[in-house]
């Protein structure tokens, strides 16, 4: 079973690339981020034609997450996280797919930092911790997949100095990610590439793709029950190099 995290960077603009990916790779589950549409289901006819159904948590022009499955639609569990009732940003969706629980996560970027956007990022991480602990307590196979907007380690970025002031690499961001792993989650891509160097994102600016100046911010975390079924993990990097591609590459884990 191949489970994918894919920040699509706008479903209207990237629909041909998404359909290419679904058709060519035929993943079992795809967690999308940055859908950027208030009603993405109305755009989903090409996805349905490719054999996929989904659950959506959209937002006009910004954010937006979804979970697609090959064949039958996933069963929606929840949209959003507890802790800030006034938060209307569409950044979290959770569904049941067979015996798995899968979440698609678009964690706040946090720039510029310091400031209110960074404070919101840190609060959001705390809210994710609370839900992650509840999911672990269920003792089921769970995958927390998404764009975390956190570069966990120095070997997860092409240049530490270039990103040193960015919210993605601040000590508080990294500490939040480490605290999540400390609950008992397994970083699947790190398991496969323990020495780092597996980029998932390349900026559109400054020839980052051509120079391979990337970093790792897309993560698929596994509960112990899911980690017991781990087979492999990787990045479908070639899809980032296609015309009008997202600035993220599909990142995946394969489970028994």
């Amino acid at each position: 079973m191949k489970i994918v995290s894919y920040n699509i960077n706008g479903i209207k603009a990237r629909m041909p690339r998404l359909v290419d990916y679904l058709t060519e790779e035929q993943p079992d589950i795809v967690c999308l981020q940055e859908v950027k549409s208030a009603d993405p289901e109305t755009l989903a006819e090409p996805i349905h034609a490719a054999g996929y159904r989904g659950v959506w948590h959209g937002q006009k022009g910004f954010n937006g997450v979804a979970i697609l499955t090959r064949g039958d639609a996933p069963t929606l569990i929840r949209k959003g996280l507890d802790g800030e009732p006034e938060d209307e940003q569409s950044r979290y969706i959770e569904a049941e797919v067979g015996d798995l629980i899968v979440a698609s996560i678009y964690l706040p970027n946090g720039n510029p930092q310091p400031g209110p956007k960074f404070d919101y990022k840190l609060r959001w991480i705390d809210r994710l911790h609370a839900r992650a602990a509840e999911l672990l307590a269920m003792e089921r196979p769970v995958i927390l997949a998404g764009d975390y907007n956190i570069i966990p380690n120095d070997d997860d970025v092409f240049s530490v100095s270039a990103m040193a002031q960015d919210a993605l690499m601040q000590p508080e961001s990294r500490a939040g990610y480490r605290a999540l792993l400390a609950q008992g989650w397994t970083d699947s891509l790190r398991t496969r590439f323990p020495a780092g160097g597996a980029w998932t994102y390349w900026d559109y600016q400054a020839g980052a793709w051509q120079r391979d100046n990337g970093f790792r911010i897309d993560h698929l975390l596994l509960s112990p029950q899911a980690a017991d079924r781990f087979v492999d993990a990787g990045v479908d990097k070639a899809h980032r190099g296609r015309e009008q591609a997202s600035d993220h590459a599909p990142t995946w884990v394969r489970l028994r």
Side-chain angles (χ1 to χ4, degrees), residues 71-132:
D72 295 335
T75 301
L76 179 67
I77 297 174
R78 66 182 295 159
K79 299 178 181 181
L81 293 171
D82 296 336
E84 289 193 33
E86 69 280 7
D87 184 5
E88 297 181 351
Q89 296 191 28
S90 299
R91 294 182 173 275
Y92 185 92
I93 190 169
E94 189 181 294
E96 193 170 42
V97 184
D99 68 334
L100 303 178
I101 295 175
V102 181
S104 182
I105 294 165
Y106 181 44
L107 203 144
N109 178 283
N111 284 304
Q113 69 82 30
K117 290 186 176 181
F118 190 62
D119 295 341
Y120 172 63
K121 179 189 185 93
L122 298 182
R123 294 197 310 273
W124 207 95
I125 292 172
D126 288 342
R127 292 161 62 198
L128 178 60
H129 285 169
R131 179 57 182 163

Side-chain angles (χ1 to χ4, degrees), residues 168-203:
L168 278 61
M169 267 186 56
Q170 293 313 296
E172 298 92 336
S173 303
R174 287 180 159 185
Y177 188 79
R178 287 196 302 271
L180 193 60
L181 296 182
Q183 288 183 339
W185 300 91
T186 294
D187 183 334
S188 57
L189 201 63
R190 189 71 179 182
T191 300
R192 177 63 179 82
F193 299 98
W199 313 148
T200 67
Y201 170 89
W202 297 258
D203 197 282

Side-chain angles (χ1 to χ4, degrees), residues 113 151-171 174 197 199 212-216:
Q113 69 82 30
I151 299 170
N153 309 288
D154 286 354
D155 56 15
D156 288 320
V157 60
F158 75 97
S159 168
V160 171
S161 60
M163 296 295 294
Q165 301 307 311
D166 197 283
L168 278 61
M169 267 186 56
Q170 293 313 296
R174 287 180 159 185
W199 313 148
D212 198 28
N213 288 350
F215 42 84
R216 184 173 78 100

